[in-house]
Amino acid sequence: MIHSLSGGIIADYENLIYVFVAFESGEKAWYISPFPQINEGDCVLAPLGRTSAKGRVTRVENVTKQTAPYPVNRAREIEGIL
């Protein structure tokens, strides 16, 4: 992370793992994965609405905050790999 002289952050290049999850209900959404060993095809438990649901990972992306497919401050994390 690089700081400016005024104390603000110029850039943050932290690596994140984003996964695109398809649920049995037909809904699809992007999530951040705290698990580095996640792969396409894995079954996961992820928040969906006010509950959690089982879904399948259809895409895995290694990104930074600047290249994330969904805003980091609005993305939720998957809860576990099943």
Side-chain angles (χ1 to χ4, degrees):
M1 181 175 353
I2 301 171
H3 294 274
S4 72
L5 294 175
S6 65
I9 296 173
I10 294 173
D12 185 1
Y13 295 104
E14 175 187 4
N15 289 323
L16 300 168
I17 300 172
Y18 264 74
V19 293
F20 195 63
V21 178
F23 295 94
E24 294 172 353
S25 64
E27 295 186 59
K28 299 175 183 176
W30 284 103
Y31 292 89
I32 295 174
S33 174
F35 310 105
Q37 72 278 12
I38 197 157
N39 298 302
E40 289 182 14
D42 286 348
C43 287
V44 296
L45 186 63
L48 186 63
R50 293 182 182 208
T51 62
S52 296
K54 179 181 167 183
R56 185 166 304 277
V57 175
T58 60
R59 190 169 172 183
V60 178
E61 297 280 334
N62 291 306
V63 299
T64 65
K65 289 182 178 182
Q66 288 76 23
T67 62
Y70 190 79
V72 175
N73 62 341
R74 293 178 42 203
R76 298 167 82 179
E77 286 190 357
I78 61 169
E79 298 168 354
I81 300 173
L82 303 176

